[in-house]
Amino acid sequence: MPRFSIIVPSHGVAGRLSLALDSVLAQSFGDLELIPVCDGPGAPAATLAAGYAARDARVRPVHSPPSAGLSGARNTGLSAATGAYVLFLDGDDTLAPGALAALAARLAETGEVDVLYAEHERVPWWEGEPVNPAAPLLARAPRQAFAPAEAPAVTGVQLPAWGTAYRRAFLAEHHLTFPEGHFTDTGFGGLVTLHAERIAVLRRVVVRHLLRRQGSRLHAPGGHHTELLDRTELVLTRAAEAGLAPERAAALFGQLFAAVLKTAAHPSRLPSGLRRSYFRRASRLYRRHRPAGYRPPGGKQGVQQRLLATGAYGAFLALRGAQHRAAALAARAPRPRGLRTRLYYRLQLRRPLDPGLAVYCAYWGRGYACSPAAIHARAAELAPHVRSVFLVEADQAHTMPAGVDHAVLGSRRAWRLLARAKYLVNNANFAEGVVKRPGSVHVQTQHGTPLKKMGVDQSTYPVVAAATGSFTKLLGRVDRWDYNLSSNSHSTQMWERAFPGSYEQLEYGYPRNDVFYTATADDVARARRALGVPEGKVAVLYAPTHRDHHTGFEPGLDLEAFCAAAGEDVVVLLRAHYFYDGGGGARGSGRIIDVTGHRSSEEVCLAADALVTDYSSIMFDYANLDRPIVVYADDWDVYTETRGVYFDLMAAPPGPVARTPEELARVFADGSYAGPASAELRAAFRARFCQFDDGRAAERVVRRVLLGEPPEAIAPARPLTERVPASAAAPFTGHLLRS
């Protein structure tokens, strides 16, 4: 029997689950079993947990349906546990280093106890200064193991279920499980307090609890707050049945009603129709269960309790005050350019949403491109009842395909569409002045898999942070998202970190990459002709990324020298970062074809027979084609220092790595760019980063968002082994460069 069973529910936090699991398996004390609780066998968290189980026999995943909630997940994990002590860890929290060793050492000192409470840190979502709210409470507890009557203030209703070690036999003996519904920690902690006979505390942080930017789900507005009264009634009824001593009963009563009144004092938490009934019911519970001789505390809390005891709801309202309600109702003022346009936009915001209107935009209006264009095209087939309009900058309007309805950004029509559209789809962000209206649906498609640090993760890199601007404004834009697309589990985790918000992650793949599996040989030939690739030539795509420490485009590679070393059959397609579209001077000559300004990066990839890049996210998209990739990493150390990265590309590249022009030439000269070792690296890279791209991403988005189909009705991505990408026009077969 292991010493500890650590139960980790994962619903809604799959993006950070690996951090929680890693923190457990990295513990110096290894006598444990780790029980991730996943939604079901096909859920993303289940796939992740299965990978851990394959590598470590201590990992034992179990399943609990989302409908069972947090309590059901914990109870399922508890039923599967075999350890002497049980710990619960939320899926987006982590065990502090040495936590299990400290718990084991403390239990060795105290002997077997029913409950071992420990300190925890609450860490702001931006990894700011943590706080330790349990420390003052636990500091008042006796040094040795104690009976509850010796320290009645130390109860489970003040402490979360995570960060506490429970003796499993004690829980089983008293049939203690988590009550269904919300505020399950309060019910469970209260019942544990009633039955525990021997308690100890550990004055050391065991769990680092992540405070979500969007706040606790429990604090969100809704009728679920009435369930706090259910939990209070359950615990106090059991306390009365147990004949709890007056001192203990008074402490428990006071702590429970402190939580009840905290909710009553926040009108935004309860719908207006429930506020009075909540107060009335709480008042009845207060009078029914108030222990004999109980005296309310001093200060505002005491005044609130006295008003609750008398049922004086009107006086309670006066005490609470309503001066902040107007601020909660104030809408964010739009900021379109021009007074008349601002007034016009405000007027449009007063009109009802158009349920049959979708507005699309890509790359801040650069044209019909990327995933928004792919979704737009698929919606025309699957959801023809939805009218679609693409927003575009005035100087790009001429590039729009025939038949695509479009509006110029900044025009009155564009602002009218933004005010009225039910659906808004973008791969970047709409203007600051766009208001997120109730009932509207914003879809963020992203435009790449993150290797470099993104969003708020950029804050510790001065050069990048200066260019990013206000992180407060960035997060304001994130708050408009309802859905965010991801093409792999890595992206899911990084988006959750970089853009903390309340949106739903859709692990559907990137719609723009669908073409890599649907394109025909004719499509590939057509793309090559459009780019000017001579027939019979081998096209090497060179696509370097933007460097924040450079002021303009610097290719990083002498392409003329590269071509001089190449055979006559090779041409180079140069695609600079889209920041340099139309700038940087003439970059194409002879066998160097500048394709930076081409509208579709997907067509450029289809036309290329191999890719040479540094750290551009194009490598993740191109990997879908299963064609050779070479990483040219001449300044990796500088890039990681100035920009920051999420993983070590040098340790897991999609193909050979060259750090000098000579090494790059050698990789092509000896054929290793396309050899067995290169193919093996590419296969591992594709398995990790091409998880959900299978040619049907756009369809999944349309069905889920525009057609409203339930998540379980959406077809999952086909296995990688069953996907057939578009073939290269002139695949490499030999040594193309002269040594």
Side-chain angles (χ1 to χ4, degrees):
M1 177 174 64
R3 187 61 166 161
F4 296 108
S5 295
I6 297 93
I7 298 167
V8 188
S10 65
H11 180 68
V13 292
R16 297 183 66 93
L17 180 60
S18 62
L19 299 177
L21 301 186
D22 288 342
S23 74
V24 175
L25 297 177
Q27 293 287 311
S28 57
F29 186 91
D31 187 12
L32 61 91
E33 64 176 358
L34 176 56
I35 306 176
V37 186
C38 309
D39 291 346
T47 303
L48 178 70
Y52 276 84
R55 297 188 296 271
D56 195 320
R58 297 175 298 174
V59 182
R60 300 175 50 234
V62 295
H63 301 128
S64 176
S67 58
L70 177 63
S71 60
R74 286 175 170 171
N75 290 335
T76 297
L78 186 57
S79 298
T82 62
Y85 281 84
V86 176
L87 284 89
F88 299 95
L89 185 69
D90 280 1
D92 53 358
D93 298 341
T94 56
L95 276 185
L100 294 185
L103 288 169
R106 181 61 174 153
L107 289 171
E109 294 173 355
T110 62
E112 297 296 295
V113 294
D114 295 328
V115 185
L116 176 58
Y117 294 117
E119 296 177 4
H120 63 271
E121 287 183 343
R122 294 181 180 266
V123 184
W125 60 267
W126 65 90
E127 298 291 335
E129 189 68 26
V131 297
N132 186 341
L137 174 66
L138 299 186
R140 303 200 300 267
R143 289 286 179 182
Q144 301 303 318
F146 58 92
E150 298 178 57
V154 181
T155 68
V157 297
Q158 293 190 97
L159 296 166
W162 39 261
T164 299
Y166 304 93
R167 186 165 62 87
R168 188 171 60 86
F170 157 72
L171 298 178
E173 177 186 353
H174 297 284
H175 307 287
L176 296 175
T177 58
F178 288 87
E180 294 182 3
H182 298 83
F183 301 97
T184 188
D185 278 24
T186 300
F188 180 76
L191 296 178
V192 165
T193 295
L194 297 180
H195 292 284
E197 298 179 358
R198 200 162 185 268
I199 299 173
V201 302
L202 171 63
R203 296 185 179 92
R204 171 174 171 160
V205 170
V206 167
V207 170
R208 302 185 81 237
H209 174 69
L210 179 72
L211 295 174
R212 291 166 165 254
R213 174 175 172 260
Q214 58 270 38
S216 169
R217 296 186 183 97
L218 288 181
H219 297 162
H224 65 278
H225 287 281
T226 60
E227 295 183 43
L228 177 57
L229 302 179
D230 298 336
R231 307 292 166 259
T232 299
E233 184 171 19
L234 169 67
V235 173
L236 292 178
T237 299
R238 296 285 182 86
E241 294 170 353
L244 208 63
E247 296 83 1
R248 292 184 62 194
L252 184 61
F253 180 87
Q255 292 159 9
L256 286 167
F257 275 96
V260 168
L261 283 166
K262 189 174 183 180
T263 294
H266 286 78
S268 61
R269 293 185 182 179
L270 284 163
S272 57
L274 289 178
R275 293 169 192 167
R276 182 181 294 272
S277 61
Y278 178 94
F279 185 88
R280 299 298 189 202
R281 183 185 171 195
S283 178
R284 292 193 298 270
L285 287 175
Y286 188 95
R287 292 193 295 270
R288 183 187 313 143
H289 292 284
R290 180 171 49 189
Y294 175 77
R295 298 182 61 181
K300 185 175 70 174
Q301 175 70 213
V303 175
Q304 288 179 335
Q305 287 199 22
R306 289 182 175 87
L307 294 175
L308 189 65
T310 59
Y313 183 62
F316 183 83
L317 286 178
L319 176 67
R320 183 183 68 195
Q323 66 270 25
H324 298 300
R325 284 183 291 180
L329 297 175
R332 188 189 317 167
R335 292 181 296 279
R337 293 187 296 272
L339 177 59
R340 291 184 178 180
T341 305
R342 288 198 298 271
L343 293 175
Y344 180 75
Y345 181 59
R346 290 194 184 194
L347 177 64
Q348 294 300 316
L349 288 172
R350 299 171 66 90
R351 300 180 63 189
L353 288 173
D354 184 342
L357 174 61
V359 170
Y360 298 81
C361 190
Y363 296 118
W364 304 276
R366 288 179 63 242
Y368 190 75
C370 201
S371 290
I375 298 171
H376 175 278
R378 201 73 176 104
E381 302 173 18
L382 299 177
H385 62 285
V386 177
R387 183 166 60 94
S388 299
V389 183
F390 228 93
L391 300 186
V392 63
E393 287 287 358
D395 61 353
Q396 295 294 321
H398 69 282
T399 68
M400 297 299 291
V404 174
D405 189 9
H406 60 276
V408 173
L409 279 167
S411 67
R412 298 186 84 189
R413 184 187 183 217
W415 282 109
R416 182 176 75 251
L417 293 167
L418 288 169
R420 301 287 310 283
K422 166 80 172 182
Y423 307 101
L424 294 97
V425 182
N426 206 329
N427 72 347
N429 268 301
F430 290 100
E432 292 289 340
V434 173
V435 173
K436 175 67 166 76
R437 298 184 62 181
S440 65
V441 178
H442 287 237
V443 180
Q444 169 58 256
T445 72
Q446 300 293 346
H447 52 269
T449 291
L451 167 62
K452 60 189 177 186
K453 293 292 181 71
M454 301 292 292
V456 297
D457 285 340
Q458 299 172 348
S459 61
T460 56
Y461 295 87
V463 174
V464 188
T468 300
S470 170
F471 286 100
T472 300
K473 291 182 178 180
L474 182 148
L475 293 172
R477 296 190 291 269
V478 170
D479 286 340
R480 299 190 301 221
W481 303 354
D482 293 289
Y483 297 107
N484 182 56
L485 297 192
S486 171
S487 60
N488 47 65
S489 297
H490 162 79
S491 293
T492 301
Q493 296 177 38
M494 297 310 107
W495 295 146
E496 189 170 307
R497 283 183 44 178
F499 304 114
S502 57
Y503 54 83
E504 180 181 346
Q505 299 264 25
L506 297 182
E507 292 185 317
Y508 289 172
Y510 288 149
R512 71 176 185 183
N513 291 341
D514 286 353
V515 69
F516 295 147
Y517 295 98
T518 60
T520 64
D522 288 342
D523 295 324
V524 173
R526 190 179 306 111
R528 290 167 71 87
R529 287 195 299 271
L531 296 177
V533 178
E535 189 171 351
K537 299 296 184 181
V538 176
V540 178
L541 172 60
Y542 176 56
T545 192
H546 167 66
R547 279 147 173 81
D548 299 274
H549 54 286
H550 289 174
T551 57
F553 176 67
E554 299 179 21
L557 179 66
D558 186 340
L559 296 180
E560 296 291 348
F562 181 87
C563 286
E568 295 180 356
D569 291 338
V570 176
V571 296
V572 173
L573 304 178
L574 169 62
R575 188 169 181 83
H577 192 277
Y578 60 81
F579 284 176
Y580 308 113
D581 183 1
R587 297 188 291 260
S589 62
R591 288 157 51 200
I592 303 173
I593 304 172
D594 189 349
V595 297
T596 302
H598 190 72
R599 174 180 56 83
S600 171
S601 64
E602 296 77 54
E603 287 188 2
V604 172
C605 289
L606 284 172
D609 304 300
L611 170 68
V612 175
T613 186
D614 42 21
Y615 327 119
S616 170
S617 65
I618 198 171
M619 72 178 77
F620 301 99
D621 304 309
Y622 193 82
N624 283 283
L625 290 168
D626 199 16
R627 301 177 190 176
I629 302 174
V630 177
V631 176
Y632 180 58
D634 61 326
D635 62 347
W636 173 249
D637 294 338
V638 174
Y639 187 82
T640 56
E641 183 70 23
T642 58
R643 189 60 170 85
V645 295
Y646 286 116
F647 69 94
D648 185 359
L649 179 65
M650 301 301 101
V657 175
R659 292 184 179 271
T660 66
E662 293 75 21
E663 289 182 7
L664 181 63
R666 191 178 308 119
V667 163
F668 279 87
D670 62 17
S672 59
Y673 70 94
S678 176
E680 185 176 345
L681 289 171
R682 190 167 67 252
F685 192 84
R686 296 184 73 228
R688 182 179 180 185
F689 296 112
C690 300
Q691 282 177 276
F692 311 128
D693 288 331
D694 67 347
R696 298 185 296 184
E699 177 180 343
R700 283 190 281 268
V701 174
V702 171
R703 291 191 180 280
R704 178 70 190 282
V705 178
L706 299 184
L707 298 180
E709 295 184 6
E712 58 272 17
I714 307 300
R718 289 177 293 186
L720 196 61
T721 55
E722 297 179 9
R723 306 175 207 169
V724 181
S727 299
F732 288 104
T733 57
H735 299 198
L736 295 176
L737 300 184
R738 297 192 296 270
S739 56

